Structure formats: structure tokens, C-alpha cells
Amino acid sequence: MKVRKPVLLLLVVTVLAPIVLYTDKLGSFRYSSSENEFVDDLPTFTLGGEIRPLNALPQESSTRLKEPLGIVYSDNSSQSFPNSDGSNAESSHKTRQLTEDSEKQTTVSTTSSSGESRSVDNNPIIQVTESTEGKESSTEQSEKKEEAKLGVSEHTSKNAFPKGEMEHEQQFAQTSGKVTTTEPIKEKQTVPTVMPDAHVRHLKDQLIRVKVYLSLAATRNNPHFIRELRLRMKEVQRALGEATKDSELPQNAYEKLKAMEQTLTKGKQIQDDCAAVVKKLRAMLHSTEEQLRVHKKQTLFLTQLTAKTLPKGLHCLPLRLSNEYFSLNSSKQQFPNQDKLEDPRLYHYALFSDNILAAAAVVNSTVSNAKVPSNHVFHIVTDRLNYAAMRMWFLTNPPGNATIQVQSVEEFTWLNSSYSPVLKQLGSASMIDYYFKSRRADSDSNMKFRNPKYLSIMNHLRFYLPEIFPKLSKVLFLDDDIVVQKDLSGLWSLDLKGKVIGAVETCGESFHRFDRYLNFSNPLISKNFDPRACGWAYGMNIFDLEEWKRQNITDVYHSWQNLNHDRQLWKLGTLPPGLITFWKRVFPLDRSWHVLGLGYNLNVSQKDIERAAVIHYNGNLKPWLEIGIAKFRGYWAKYVDSDQVYLRECNVNP
């Protein structure tokens, strides 16, 4: 018996070794020979005289590994096998049971996302935690798959941030730690929206937090931290510079951001009084809002000042032209074709302006786009100061075959304070006081009403068109800040259906309705007009002078001006009295005739501009000023000859 014990022991080890190896963690098994040999032999182990495929644990290659990371068995599963010499039938039964159970892996207990496990059957095979090596390989592959699916770039900027620096902004959903099925659990991936230029925003926010910490008492008692904070602040300010996009940041910007974040974390530990921080932030917000209000007011004032101040070049131009005009012989001071000035069959334009360059652009653009220029007649009215210069300009720059007339407003001797209520008001002591003495900032909420142009009768000539052109039936009124892009002769053939004026309505924007311009708290206004009525635009208007006379429009205008002697019905300007005078007398034109906003609105549609017959630079940002909107200036500048000798001498560069 003693001799047979080693043999029996060897037999037991030989029989039970495959079972022990089978029930152990195959993931950690290493055979002395190559792994490939073990894999090749495993499916054909002989047990109990039968050849059974051991497919309970299919070998997974590392390249095809998916969640879950594999099925392994607990060490105590070997207890179900006999540890004696046992029956081969029992071993065969256990092996078959393992094989059948492996084919039913999808019915094994499933771990829910909440961590609760539900047992589906009494399978002796139980789930254990996957090995660390398996976790690492699966996590790497999962991250790569998610990156490929979501199209996440490793670089947030070509210039600023290298690989891996957006990890704190992009978080991917992680699968459950314990999964027992061979199919991965599909969870809806939610990726947080990343703000554009997030690093620029973050750097700016850090500077605000620095200001907060520097103002707190707890921080002031820590000089070492203050020095570090100021150093980081300088670094961030240098890195940020004038950048408005992440792509404009330098390469070391993210390093400065992280260093600042670490310093601010120290500050959070030093200052734990949230109430003090909130109080400081509120104070900063209030101060910033107050500064913004002051800056807006200053900007408004400076913009108004710039818009109404004559640039040096435009001051030089009339002086130079006037000098040349008075040096001419009287015979050379006359315009040709003066016999056409009162011909009602032609197309007549009324242009009231003291700006020579602007008037030149209007005339040039109109003639350039006219089908028959010889049928167009321009009537320009200016003031005494610019009369000679205006005439000299058009004498040296005639508008082709079109006819030109230049008059001075002083020639209209019938237009005096006894006839015109507005002239009487403009010369009153209260009006002079309003403009030249009362300069308090709170005297008027809207500074544009203090514009000196409202003192000029030139601005009110549009209400006296039948008196200025007594022999004409229709006149097209043009402002001097417009550009004509198409032939306008079709306007004279329009049927206005008994209306006095044809104009483009401006209902699209709320501030162009009647309540924007008129004082509806006054009963005279409220009982006669609708506050939500649609306004319309001056600048390009066709007037039926025959209908004007028939409806006695001039008297209507005078009566309302007399009622507004104390400016209680409306402030100064020409649009409010125009809305009142022509109430229910306006024929709406198609919007393509007249596009507005190029003097204040950056978002005027390019499509609307290109199809417009007339574009209007209404607003303060006129195209002949440096503050004009650059992208719209070209439409105006192409109708001004920059090579003209007077423009070169006065250094005018349109």
C-alpha cells in the first residue's frame, strides 16, 4: 500500500488537475509553454471517456474585447466536484452542466444601473469583479470608441491647447462597474454643451474672482497669498491680451489658467465666508452697471457731436469752391437747360441740403442709374453760406445730360415768420433758451432733439413743396444721405389712389409706430390718432402736388404747428409733424423702393440692399464720416469721384 500511494496520488492529481484549472481564473493562468498551445488543446480535453467541447469560456482576443470584460468563475465553484477518486459519470454530468450554463449566459443575473442584482436561475457560476488589467484595456477602448462616435478633437485650438486639456470640460458617461452579460449595456450618452471660446471666458472669470479675493479682509491679512495672486493675475492678463477667441490665445495660456485655478483654490480655503463674497460681488455688479450707464451716456453725446460736427475736409471744400465761384465771370455762373425747370412732363427731384459732397453723391447715383438722364431735373436748395460752393461744384461737375438748378432758401421771400408758424417758433426766446442756455443733462432724455439742424428752416422745406414748385404736378423728394441704385422714373407713373404722398411703411419695428413720436398722454393726440399706427419713412417720397393743393395740406400742417407751440404734442423734428399732417393720406410703396438703416443698423440684409432702388443712411453713422459703417460705405463712395481736384486739395477721401 505504501508503494501504491504515490501512484494513487499521481492519478488523482492527473484527473483533477484539468478541473481545478478549469474552475480557476483563466485570466490569470500562465502555462509554462506558449498560450497558443493551451488554447488549442482546451476544447478537446477527454473527460469520462467522452470528447466534450469545453466552450463554457470562449477565448476572447484583446482586439475584440467588449464590456463586460469576460466571465470567470469563483474559486469555491470547485467544491461541487468530488475530491476523491469519484465517478467519471459525476464529473461528466458537471461538465455538461457547465457547458449548458455557458450557452445561457444571457439569462444570468443582470446588474441594474442602480446596483440591484436579480437572480434568474440557480447557476453555480457567479459573477466576480473583473481583473485590473481587463479594466484598463476596456476603458481605453471605450474612450477611443466614444471619441470616434462623438467626433471630439484632442485639440481645442491649434495654437493654444495641446492634447488632453479639454478633459475637464468634456465628460463621457461611464458604464456600470459590474456587468455579467456578453452584450454591453447601451446607455444614452449625454455630452454637456461646451460654450464657444470657453477658455477665454474662463480666464476672464478668473480675473473677476481675483478682484474679489483681493478686496476681502481674510486675503489682506495674508501677504504671501496676495503676492502670489497678483503674480498669477499678471500672467493671465498677459496670456489673455486682446484675445476674443480660444484660437487667439498663446500656447501657454492653458498652463496659466491651471496655475491660476490652483491659486484661487487656496483663496477659497483662506476665505470661507460666503456672505462676504456675495456682498462683494453685488457691489462690483452695481458699480459695473453704473459705469456702463455713464459710458453709454458719454458715447451717445460723443456720437451726436461727431455726427453733427463738420469734418475738416468738408469745411475746406465749400471755402475752396466759393473762392473759385466768385472768380468766374457772370456768364459762366449759369447752368444750361434752364427751360426744363418747370416742364411737368419731366422727372423732377427736390433735394434740400447744405452738404456738397452728399448732394453730389445723390445726383451722381440717380443719373448713373437713369434710363434717360436727359429727362431728369434736380432742384437743389441750400443755405446762403453754401450757395456759391454748391453752384461751383455742379458747374465743374455737371450731371451729364440731366438738368440742375441750385437755389438759396433766402430766395423764398414768402417763407417768413408771419406765414410759417415753425419759423416763428424757431426764432422765439424759449427755443433759443432750449438750445443755447439750458444745458442740463437731465433737461431732455433724448439728446437727438437738441440737434441744431432742427433750428434750420431747411429741414421744414418739405412741407412747402407746392409753394416752391407751383407749376409742377409731381415731385420726388430725396434726402441727402441716400444712394440711388436703380432707375426711379417708374414712381411718376404710380397711381397713388387719391393719396398725397407715396412712402415705404416702417411697421416692422416697434419704435417706428406713432406712440414713439407723439405724446399720447395729450388728449389732442390720443383722440385723433392710433398709437399703434404704422409709421413711414422720409428720405424717398413721391408727392402729388395737385392732390396736396386739393386737400389743403399746408394749412393742416400750420394748424398742428400752432397747437404744438410749447412742444407738448411732439418734440422737434420733421417726422412727427409729417405723421400728423399726412395721417391717412399715405400710399404705401413696396419695400424694395426704399431700404433704411445703413446709418445705424449693422444687420441690414445684403439681399435687401442689392435689390433696393434707394438705400438710406439714416442715423448718425453717415458714410462721409469716419464713424460710418465700413461695410456700407462702398455703396456711397463709388458715386464720389475721389480724383476730383477740389477733393484732393482738401484731402477728402470718401
Side-chain angles (χ1 to χ4, degrees):
M1 293 297 294
K2 293 182 180 179
V3 176
R4 291 181 179 179
K5 283 182 180 180
V7 177
L8 181 60
L9 181 61
L10 180 60
L11 180 62
V12 171
V13 171
T14 304
V15 173
L16 294 180
I19 299 175
V20 174
L21 291 172
Y22 178 74
T23 58
D24 201 358
K25 295 182 179 179
L26 294 180
S28 60
F29 180 81
R30 295 291 182 270
Y31 194 65
S32 59
S33 62
S34 68
E35 288 186 351
N36 292 334
E37 291 178 335
F38 178 76
V39 174
D40 292 339
D41 293 339
L42 181 60
T44 58
F45 270 116
T46 301
L47 214 60
E50 299 179 11
I51 298 178
R52 297 281 185 180
L54 301 181
N55 57 357
L57 283 177
Q59 183 69 15
E60 296 180 354
S61 64
S62 60
T63 59
R64 297 178 58 190
L65 191 60
K66 297 181 178 180
E67 292 283 2
L69 300 176
I71 304 299
V72 293
Y73 307 109
S74 61
D75 293 337
N76 59 9
S77 64
S78 62
Q79 294 176 1
S80 62
F81 292 89
N83 54 7
S84 61
D85 53 350
S87 148
N88 288 338
E90 181 70 11
S91 299
S92 176
H93 171 73
K94 294 295 182 181
T95 304
R96 285 194 299 271
Q97 182 179 355
L98 292 173
T99 304
E100 294 170 358
D101 291 338
S102 67
E103 295 172 351
K104 299 177 181 179
Q105 290 179 28
T106 57
T107 64
V108 182
S109 61
T110 305
T111 303
S112 66
S113 59
S114 61
E116 297 177 358
S117 178
R118 298 182 292 108
S119 178
V120 177
D121 109 30
N122 295 326
N123 197 320
I125 304 173
I126 63 174
Q127 173 64 33
V128 296
T129 306
E130 55 268 25
S131 65
T132 305
E133 179 180 346
K135 281 184 180 180
E136 292 174 354
S137 62
S138 176
T139 303
E140 291 174 359
Q141 292 184 15
S142 177
E143 289 178 353
K144 291 178 180 179
K145 291 176 182 178
E146 293 295 344
E147 290 180 3
K149 185 190 297 182
L150 299 172
V152 178
S153 174
E154 293 180 347
H155 298 268
T156 59
S157 167
K158 293 182 179 180
N159 301 325
F161 304 108
K163 180 179 180 180
E165 293 178 357
M166 286 292 288
E167 292 178 355
H168 70 289
E169 293 177 2
Q170 296 179 338
Q171 300 176 352
F172 300 102
Q174 299 293 330
T175 58
S176 174
K178 294 183 179 181
V179 183
T180 60
T181 62
T182 56
E183 293 293 330
I185 293 180
K186 295 181 180 179
E187 296 182 358
K188 187 177 180 180
Q189 300 288 340
T190 57
V191 180
T193 303
V194 179
M195 293 291 290
D197 305 312
H199 285 88
V200 170
R201 296 171 183 266
H202 196 172
L203 290 169
K204 291 180 178 179
D205 289 344
Q206 285 182 334
L207 293 177
I208 295 175
R209 292 162 62 189
V210 167
K211 293 179 181 179
V212 174
Y213 282 130
L214 288 175
S215 64
L216 299 176
T219 306
R220 290 197 296 267
N221 296 331
N222 192 330
H224 176 73
F225 176 68
I226 288 179
R227 285 194 298 271
E228 181 180 354
L229 203 59
R230 292 187 184 279
L231 176 63
R232 299 299 182 205
M233 182 171 66
K234 291 180 180 178
E235 291 176 350
V236 169
Q237 287 174 338
R238 283 196 295 267
L240 185 60
E242 300 295 330
T244 57
K245 300 179 181 179
D246 285 356
S247 58
E248 298 173 356
L249 293 171
Q251 293 183 355
N252 65 344
Y254 187 69
E255 297 176 2
K256 305 302 181 185
L257 186 149
K258 291 192 295 184
M260 173 63 87
E261 201 63 38
Q262 293 173 358
T263 302
L264 291 173
T265 303
K266 296 179 184 178
K268 189 184 298 184
Q269 296 170 354
I270 295 173
Q271 173 57 258
D272 56 358
D273 186 359
C274 294
V277 175
V278 171
K279 183 178 180 181
K280 181 60 182 177
L281 285 172
R282 285 178 177 172
M284 291 176 63
L285 178 61
H286 177 75
S287 176
T288 303
E289 289 177 344
E290 182 63 21
Q291 291 178 12
L292 178 61
R293 187 187 67 81
V294 172
H295 287 316
K296 281 184 175 180
K297 191 173 181 179
Q298 291 177 345
T299 301
L300 177 61
F301 172 76
L302 293 174
T303 303
Q304 293 284 348
L305 183 64
T306 303
K308 308 311 172 188
T309 301
L310 192 66
K312 184 178 179 180
L314 296 185
H315 178 69
C316 164
L317 184 61
L319 295 177
R320 182 78 176 84
L321 289 168
S322 297
N323 185 56
E324 292 292 327
Y325 178 78
F326 289 115
S327 66
L328 294 177
N329 296 327
S330 59
S331 59
K332 294 182 179 180
Q333 293 178 350
Q334 304 303 315
F335 292 104
N337 302 324
Q338 295 299 288
D339 56 317
K340 294 182 177 181
L341 296 179
E342 296 181 348
D343 188 347
R345 298 170 298 177
L346 302 179
Y347 308 129
H348 294 266
Y349 300 85
L351 177 60
F352 310 139
S353 175
D354 58 0
N355 188 324
I356 298 168
L357 200 62
V362 173
V363 173
N364 289 347
S365 63
T366 306
V367 174
S368 298
N369 293 284
K371 293 180 179 179
V372 185
S374 60
N375 289 339
H376 296 259
V377 181
F378 296 89
H379 304 268
I380 300 176
V381 180
T382 187
D383 56 16
R384 182 186 301 174
L385 184 64
N386 294 281
Y387 173 74
M390 189 76 75
R391 290 182 68 88
M392 186 64 193
W393 175 270
F394 287 105
L395 286 169
T396 55
N397 299 277
N401 295 325
T403 301
I404 195 85
Q405 178 190 32
V406 177
Q407 295 175 282
S408 171
V409 69
E410 282 76 14
E411 296 179 25
F412 306 142
T413 56
W414 49 266
L415 189 59
N416 50 57
S417 58
S418 62
Y419 176 69
S420 172
V422 70
L423 271 179
K424 184 177 180 180
Q425 293 170 15
L426 292 177
S428 66
S430 61
M431 188 70 69
I432 294 173
D433 180 74
Y434 179 77
Y435 275 102
F436 298 105
K437 293 183 180 179
S438 299
R439 291 299 181 184
R440 296 186 301 274
D442 58 348
S443 60
D444 202 315
S445 60
N446 197 334
M447 291 184 61
K448 74 177 183 179
F449 295 124
R450 290 186 172 276
N451 192 329
K453 76 178 183 179
Y454 297 125
L455 286 174
S456 173
I457 189 58
M458 292 276 297
N459 211 40
H460 298 268
L461 287 178
R462 64 195 70 184
F463 294 102
Y464 298 102
L465 292 176
E467 288 83 358
I468 298 174
F469 309 110
K471 295 184 179 182
L472 300 181
S473 57
K474 281 188 177 181
V475 168
L476 184 64
F477 170 79
L478 298 177
D479 267 340
D480 63 358
D481 55 354
I482 63 102
V483 168
V484 177
Q485 300 187 126
K486 296 181 180 179
D487 181 66
L488 301 180
S489 57
L491 289 169
W492 277 265
S493 61
L494 281 178
D495 181 8
L496 299 183
K497 301 185 183 302
K499 305 298 183 181
V500 178
I501 176 177
V504 171
E505 294 182 331
T506 55
C507 297
E509 301 174 70
S510 61
F511 61 86
H512 282 153
R513 297 188 181 271
F514 271 46
D515 58 354
R516 174 68 177 178
Y517 302 99
L518 305 178
N519 179 17
F520 276 86
S521 63
N522 190 296
L524 281 174
I525 297 296
S526 59
K527 73 180 181 181
N528 286 287
F529 306 101
D530 178 8
R532 302 303 298 163
C534 183
W536 45 268
Y538 266 131
M540 195 283 297
N541 310 104
I542 185 71
F543 286 93
D544 186 336
L545 301 186
E546 297 294 336
E547 197 65 38
W548 182 311
K549 297 172 186 176
R550 190 175 299 114
Q551 299 185 28
N552 206 10
I553 298 300
T554 303
D555 285 348
V556 174
Y557 169 68
H558 283 172
S559 62
W560 280 106
Q561 282 288 0
N562 285 323
L563 292 171
N564 193 46
H565 64 91
D566 54 358
R567 298 189 306 280
Q568 295 301 309
L569 303 185
W570 69 85
K571 297 293 184 181
L572 298 178
T574 54
L575 183 55
L579 297 177
I580 289 178
T581 302
F582 298 105
W583 169 248
K584 296 183 178 180
R585 298 180 175 95
V586 178
F587 177 80
L589 300 178
D590 187 271
R591 290 181 179 274
S592 62
W593 279 109
H594 186 191
V595 170
L596 299 97
L598 279 71
Y600 70 91
N601 184 6
L602 293 170
N603 300 316
V604 179
S605 167
Q606 185 77 20
K607 182 179 179 181
D608 290 342
I609 293 175
E610 291 175 354
R611 71 177 184 177
V614 171
I615 55 175
H616 195 171
Y617 292 84
N618 57 312
N620 288 322
L621 310 180
K622 304 299 184 186
W624 54 84
L625 299 176
E626 291 185 4
I627 61 173
I629 301 175
K631 66 178 181 178
F632 298 149
R633 185 179 286 117
Y635 299 107
W636 178 85
K638 68 180 180 180
Y639 293 110
V640 178
D641 184 7
S642 57
D643 292 331
Q644 213 278 341
V645 59
Y646 297 115
L647 296 185
R648 292 202 311 269
E649 290 176 354
C650 291
N651 197 27
V652 176
N653 299 307

